[in-house]
Amino acid sequence: RRNKVLNPASMRTTYGKLMYLLQDAQNPTVAKSLGFSLHKDMVLVKPFLEDQNCLDLLHDPRLECAVQFIDDRDPETGTKLPRDHVQAMVKGKQRVTQDLVDTYGKEGKLSPEDVHRVVESLADAIAYIESNVRPVQQMLKYLEDNFDPEREEKQFSLALSGSSRGYYSNGSSLYSKYGLSAYNVGSSEGPKLSHSHGTQYTFVW
């Protein structure tokens, strides 16, 4: 599961084929032929800690630092942060993680490996959300900063239309009869919907 989340491209390789084999193995006929089931319930962090009587770990204030997402770019400007700054944050996160391992791994309820697995599972989930949500938030910011839903500008129209009513420049491949589009003028491809500039802005937002 961690491999799939962190490496989505692997679904096109041997890992993806393995997933298809496991899915096929769930077929009752195939499972009967195998003589055993390959199904196993997913282990989630909270139920796991409940079973180990160690829910205190989830409420430890140090956990927030241990699972934080460390980005190498400034969230406001998008500029790259100094390498020393990023490395300092990574080392600080590692120190806090080790503190948690020392605290809860020595109590006897969890092994050091289990504490690491809990922290890394939470950190993976947060990193996955951040890496997928942040680009969307950035694109919405570009939309809000550069386009006005009430005012349509030539060559910067978001309108979608299969007719020649849209704005375009004959000398540019960036602007087509579909407005600000990736399709070249005269392309047989294009949108199947007809949206005004304001409607498309709302649709995207």
Side-chain angles (χ1 to χ4, degrees):
R1 174 172 171 262
R2 285 190 65 201
N3 184 75
K4 183 187 75 171
V5 169
L6 298 178
N7 302 280
S10 296
M11 290 301 292
R12 299 178 180 272
T13 61
T14 305
Y15 181 81
K17 295 176 183 177
L18 174 63
M19 291 299 101
Y20 286 129
L21 287 172
L22 291 175
Q23 290 173 4
D24 291 342
Q26 290 303 107
N27 182 290
T29 303
V30 176
K32 185 177 180 180
S33 300
L34 289 174
F36 60 92
S37 174
L38 295 175
H39 174 267
K40 182 179 180 181
D41 289 335
M42 187 178 295
V43 179
L44 301 179
V45 170
K46 186 177 180 181
F48 172 74
L49 292 178
E50 285 176 338
D51 291 342
Q52 303 299 321
N53 194 26
C54 196
L55 275 177
D56 291 345
L57 174 56
L58 288 182
H59 302 288
D60 193 306
R62 293 172 294 179
L63 185 63
E64 182 176 356
C65 177
V67 301
Q68 68 176 318
F69 176 70
I70 297 178
D71 198 350
D72 63 349
R73 294 184 179 275
D74 187 287
E76 297 297 327
T77 64
T79 57
K80 246 184 169 343
L81 296 172
R83 186 174 180 179
D84 292 344
H85 177 75
V86 175
Q87 288 180 336
M89 293 179 66
V90 171
K91 288 180 180 178
K93 181 177 176 179
Q94 291 172 343
R95 283 196 300 269
V96 174
T97 300
Q98 189 57 49
D99 287 344
L100 291 171
V101 171
D102 293 340
T103 299
Y104 294 94
K106 292 179 180 178
E107 289 183 354
K109 297 179 181 178
L110 294 173
S111 67
E113 292 76 15
D114 284 338
V115 179
H116 269 296
R117 189 153 61 108
V118 166
V119 173
E120 289 172 357
S121 294
L122 293 173
D124 287 346
I126 292 174
Y128 180 75
I129 292 172
E130 286 285 345
S131 60
N132 284 274
V133 171
R134 187 168 294 183
V136 176
Q137 292 175 330
Q138 186 63 51
M139 291 304 296
L140 289 177
K141 186 175 185 301
Y142 289 151
L143 179 69
E144 294 170 350
D145 291 346
N146 296 284
F147 296 93
D148 185 345
E150 305 296 330
R151 185 164 56 89
E152 184 176 7
E153 298 180 27
K154 287 187 177 182
Q155 294 187 335
F156 290 97
S157 171
L158 297 176
L160 296 179
S161 175
S163 68
S164 59
R165 291 175 295 175
Y167 300 116
Y168 66 92
S169 170
N170 289 325
S172 172
S173 61
L174 278 178
Y175 308 114
S176 74
K177 60 182 178 179
Y178 305 112
L180 191 64
S181 170
Y183 299 105
N184 292 331
V185 177
S187 170
S188 60
E189 301 179 4
K192 305 304 180 186
L193 301 175
S194 292
H195 281 175
S196 67
H197 173 79
T199 300
Q200 181 64 10
Y201 181 99
T202 304
F203 177 79
V204 173
W205 193 90

